[in-house]
Amino acid sequence: MYDYREPWKIKVSSAVNAILNDAGIDGVIEPDQVIAENPPNPEMGDIGFPMFAYAKLLRKGPPQIAQMTAEKLAKIIVEEKSGAKVQAQGPYLNVSLDRALEAKAVLSQKFSAEKILAGKKIMVEFSSPNTNKPLHLGHLRNDVLGESVSRILSACGADVRKVCIINDRGIHICKSMLAYAEHGQGKTPQSEGVKSDRFVGDWYVCFSRELKAEVDELVKSGVNKDDAETQAPLMKKAQELLRKWEAGDGETIELWKKMNSWAIDGMKETYKRTGVSFDKYYFESETYMLGKDEVLKGLEKGIFFRQEDGAVAVDLSGEKLDKKILLRSDGTSIYITQDFGTAINRHKDWPFDKMIYVVGSEQQYHFKVLFILLEKLGFEWAKNLYHLSYGMVNLPEGKMKSREGTVVDADDLIDSLRDMALAEIREKEREGEVGDPQKVAEKIAIAALHYFLLQPSPVKDMLFDPNESLSFNGNTGPYLQYMGARISSMLRKAGEEGAEKDIAPKEADFSLLVSDSEWDLIKSLAAYSSAVREAAENLDPSQITAYLYELSKAFSRFYHDCPILNAGDPALSKARLELSRAVMFVLKDAFHLICIPFLEVM
Ligand code: ARG
């Protein structure tokens, strides 16, 4: 995509090279090495080139170099017959562009990311739930981060495969199974009219409640807390159930299958609702045995050792990490065990150039250990594994606490956002205009949620504020949707077909768009592909949300300053309308990258 800075980097590099040449100094500055900045204020020009980096090579002060470069460039400009101006200002060389010329160049193109990742196979793992509870707010951040990063990488040309590991076995699963086995009386999600993953989660809550009562009882009788937790009869029963499961006991497996499919079916409904999807699901129950084998192989090779109690462990003090258990003393596998098998299977299925794990920051240690051990086990590709770690999401005090009082279910949160959006539509008396108010409210809710969650950089912990996320004016998803809807409606009013489609700007006399606010908007459009590239390079969708906010501010100014449909001059109207269409095109493209639905009417 055309970026007005690029041709100037070439010009500046050749000017500096000419100066070097004149002075008989060996050395070449490549266009890529030229730093281009946005000058602090618009009067200084459109691009600022700091000259500090060339001082040593040229043995001159930056202001003098700026002066000399300006003289060289002035000649080129005259030859090119462009209306650009260059000016040395202290250590900077500032360039003011020919607006009419640039407007044409920017608006006569298709806006899209550069394919810098063409030919790369990138696997992205995200969401990765356990099957004992429904998805919660933390998963919503994970899901949108994983989905968005995947979309950004594919926009840059990568071949992306989205995967999910379902942690469907282990003690936590046995807990909800046990509670259901003891009190379920054959009830089903259908018989109770409850979403199926929540139905399973409710049994987990039931188990936790009963276990707590047992532990409290033991503590009262003088047992210390840790011991009470292992001694509690319910805990023992859950462990017994896990052993039965690992032994393949028929009845246990049947119950497990039933409850897991309830959990997974329910989660898939939530994924569908938020626009998240996977190319392949992996299941811990299918990979943990392979994981165990690998651990035992490592034991044979002497990479791991067996402790006195029979557990297999590894000593990572050489890597400045602790000792880590890899298999329990009773031979059952733990959380990390399956990850060996899962990674190996994935690489066999689809030999990736890179695999990204989108997982919370509390698991940094886990992934450090996993990557080191896979490398020790001899898997070359282990060096291409990356943990994209993200921070916690909290809710403001007193808001939407879940039944357990700690986390809030994803579905509940989206429901309340939708209801709030619906109330707003009603209050504004827009029900008649928007088509199906429920559907529109749902899309506003998703936009509010996703934009808010992607806005801080992934590593940061954050507070999700439902009211703020839904605000129609401010740096929010709904505000951006509103801007898109406004342009759609303008195109409809102008009798333009294609208000609904992604159409690049049509032919118009773009050289008319030279006022300050038109020019700012055009420059902002030109920066789209570099925003996407940066987001891909840093695996950080917040670069796109930040870009969209700048674009929206530039559009608002333009919309305020420049009448469009009644500009007086039909050619100017047309050019402004097409400029607006370009904004809509970029909005739609970027919305897709950050998982925000586009609305034609709002
Ligand atoms: N299910 C795990 C949890 O909820 C996260 C899994 C992360 N992925 C992995 N390959 N270990 O904590």
Side-chain angles (χ1 to χ4, degrees):
M1 190 182 136
Y2 174 73
D3 183 339
Y4 58 87
R5 294 180 203 87
E6 296 305 322
W8 283 93
K9 285 187 185 175
I10 300 176
K11 284 177 205 169
V12 169
S13 74
S14 54
V16 173
N17 288 333
I19 300 170
L20 281 166
N21 196 34
D22 292 349
I25 300 172
D26 262 355
V28 184
I29 302 293
E30 299 291 343
D32 276 356
Q33 295 170 283
V34 175
I35 297 168
E37 294 174 359
N38 287 332
N41 82 54
E43 281 105 67
M44 291 177 162
D46 302 306
I47 322 173
F49 294 98
M51 295 284 124
F52 307 101
Y54 319 119
K56 207 165 155 206
L57 198 57
L58 276 164
R59 288 177 229 119
K60 285 187 178 41
Q64 199 188 346
I65 302 174
Q67 200 61 50
M68 292 166 81
T69 313
E71 280 160 24
K72 293 265 181 216
L73 287 176
K75 283 195 200 121
I76 301 180
I77 291 169
V78 172
E79 280 162 25
E80 284 182 353
K81 299 202 181 78
S82 95
K85 286 189 193 72
V86 290
Q87 195 188 3
Q89 249 169 347
Y92 283 87
L93 173 79
N94 292 329
V95 178
S96 303
L97 299 172
D98 180 332
R99 294 183 177 186
L101 212 68
E102 297 297 334
K104 270 192 210 160
V106 171
L107 291 168
S108 317
Q109 63 173 328
K110 190 161 158 56
F111 296 90
S112 64
E114 279 156 66
K115 307 290 177 229
I116 50 169
L117 295 172
K120 287 265 177 291
K121 292 175 84 166
I122 306 179
M123 193 176 262
V124 185
E125 183 213 278
F126 60 102
S127 198
S128 301
N130 303 332
T131 50
N132 60 330
K133 291 185 212 175
L135 302 175
H136 54 70
L137 175 55
H139 287 110
L140 289 173
R141 186 173 191 193
N142 183 320
D143 293 356
V144 72
L145 192 57
E147 182 69 37
S148 173
V149 162
S150 301
R151 292 182 187 187
I152 291 166
L153 296 173
S154 352
C156 292
D159 186 2
V160 175
R161 192 164 167 88
K162 297 182 285 176
V163 299
C164 176
I165 174 87
I166 304 219
N167 293 109
D168 61 347
R169 45 135 270 127
I171 192 72
H172 51 296
I173 314 295
C174 292
K175 291 177 179 175
S176 30
M177 281 162 62
L178 189 65
Y180 178 69
E182 292 196 337
H183 311 291
Q185 300 167 332
K187 288 178 188 162
T188 65
Q190 294 76 24
S191 74
E192 305 308 294
V194 178
K195 190 164 174 278
S196 59
D197 49 343
R198 157 152 317 178
F199 182 80
V200 174
D202 286 344
W203 292 111
Y204 186 76
V205 173
C206 166
F207 176 92
S208 311
R209 202 173 45 227
E210 293 190 338
L211 178 67
K212 186 173 178 295
E214 284 187 0
V215 170
D216 288 350
E217 209 43 51
L218 283 167
V219 169
K220 239 190 252 160
S221 72
V223 183
N224 84 41
K225 185 121 202 276
D226 285 352
D227 291 344
E229 265 162 18
T230 43
Q231 278 172 24
L234 269 176
M235 202 58 195
K236 291 208 163 131
K237 276 194 192 167
Q239 255 138 13
E240 177 54 24
L241 200 58
L242 181 59
R243 273 189 291 276
K244 274 184 161 172
W245 184 89
E246 290 216 2
D249 172 64
E251 216 176 297
T252 309
I253 298 287
E254 206 172 297
L255 174 63
W256 170 76
K257 278 193 182 151
K258 184 160 72 181
M259 291 188 78
N260 264 346
S261 65
W262 284 337
I264 295 167
D265 288 350
M267 289 174 192
K268 284 185 177 169
E269 279 175 46
T270 310
Y271 290 147
K272 200 163 164 211
R273 185 173 188 191
T274 55
V276 160
S277 67
F278 299 97
D279 298 305
K280 187 172 166 106
Y281 289 95
Y282 286 83
F283 296 90
E284 175 174 347
S285 59
E286 292 169 2
T287 60
Y288 83 106
M289 288 304 278
L290 178 60
K292 264 191 190 182
D293 289 351
E294 276 310 315
V295 171
L296 294 175
K297 274 192 213 159
L299 184 64
E300 261 169 48
K301 287 190 204 158
I303 304 170
F304 309 143
F305 69 94
R306 197 179 280 284
Q307 300 195 139
E308 263 174 34
D309 65 355
V312 179
V314 62
D315 175 14
L316 289 172
S317 52
E319 275 81 9
K320 298 212 170 89
L321 299 168
D322 297 343
K323 185 185 82 178
K324 170 99 183 158
I325 305 282
L326 305 174
L327 266 184
R328 285 204 194 90
S329 54
D330 64 359
T332 55
S333 66
I334 49 180
Y335 176 52
I336 197 167
T337 321
Q338 52 86 25
D339 258 318
F340 294 110
T342 311
I344 292 166
N345 272 346
R346 285 180 182 162
H347 192 265
K348 235 186 253 152
D349 288 349
W350 199 74
F352 47 76
D353 295 303
K354 182 174 178 146
M355 170 154 64
I356 299 166
Y357 291 90
V358 182
V359 182
S361 51
E362 71 282 359
Q363 294 195 29
Q364 267 169 11
Y365 182 75
H366 169 84
F367 284 101
K368 236 186 227 168
V369 171
L370 178 68
F371 299 166
I372 290 177
L373 294 186
L374 280 165
E375 224 173 326
K376 279 189 193 282
L377 287 167
F379 297 100
E380 251 275 36
W381 44 263
K383 61 180 189 307
N384 304 322
L385 305 178
Y386 180 78
H387 175 201
L388 174 54
S389 147
Y390 65 90
M392 301 251 288
V393 199
N394 292 306
L395 285 170
E397 207 48 48
K399 281 224 171 99
M400 294 191 223
K401 287 270 158 104
S402 84
R403 297 150 294 151
E404 276 171 279
T406 45
V407 288
V408 56
D409 285 358
D411 297 310
D412 290 344
L413 180 64
I414 305 171
D415 284 350
S416 36
L417 290 172
R418 182 203 53 211
D419 294 345
M420 287 159 81
L422 193 58
E424 177 97 9
I425 293 174
R426 295 210 169 114
E427 197 174 304
K428 289 193 178 140
E429 298 179 359
R430 301 274 307 153
E431 272 172 293
E433 254 106 323
V434 297
D436 182 340
Q438 281 278 345
K439 269 198 188 140
V440 170
E442 172 90 8
K443 288 184 176 173
I444 294 173
I446 297 292
L449 178 73
H450 284 171
Y451 190 83
F452 204 94
L453 291 175
L454 289 179
Q455 219 181 17
S457 80
V459 290
K460 290 206 180 119
D461 288 350
M462 66 180 291
L463 201 67
F464 180 78
D465 185 334
N467 284 318
E468 201 186 316
S469 78
L470 276 165
S471 161
F472 279 75
N473 38 42
N475 188 2
T476 67
Y479 171 66
L480 288 165
Q481 280 180 316
Y482 179 60
M483 200 167 80
R486 207 154 56 168
I487 301 176
S488 273
S489 116
M490 200 160 68
L491 286 166
R492 274 193 304 271
K493 226 191 251 164
E496 282 282 337
E497 39 81 43
E500 301 81 23
K501 292 194 214 109
D502 301 343
I503 297 182
K506 298 179 187 171
E507 201 78 13
D509 185 359
F510 296 122
S511 64
L512 299 172
L513 305 177
V514 292
S515 74
D516 286 349
S517 45
E518 287 163 326
W519 174 234
D520 277 345
L521 182 56
I522 290 167
K523 279 199 287 186
S524 183
L525 284 169
Y528 180 51
S529 75
S530 38
V532 180
R533 189 186 57 231
E534 273 165 38
E537 282 169 353
N538 301 313
L539 302 176
D540 182 1
S542 77
Q543 315 255 2
I544 295 182
T545 58
Y547 168 78
L548 281 172
Y549 188 50
E550 287 307 312
L551 180 68
S552 73
K553 281 192 289 188
F555 180 78
S556 292
R557 230 174 296 127
F558 158 74
Y559 193 75
H560 174 266
D561 294 349
C562 307
I564 301 173
L565 298 181
N566 36 25
D569 166 10
L572 185 57
S573 267
K574 175 72 179 150
R576 287 180 176 167
L577 196 65
E578 293 306 321
L579 173 58
S580 307
R581 191 201 298 280
V583 174
M584 188 169 103
F585 183 92
V586 168
L587 282 182
K588 275 191 182 173
D589 205 70
F591 280 13
H592 170 74
L593 298 181
I594 55 168
C595 311
I596 288 187
F598 188 88
L599 285 171
E600 261 116 48
V601 190
M602 205 170 154

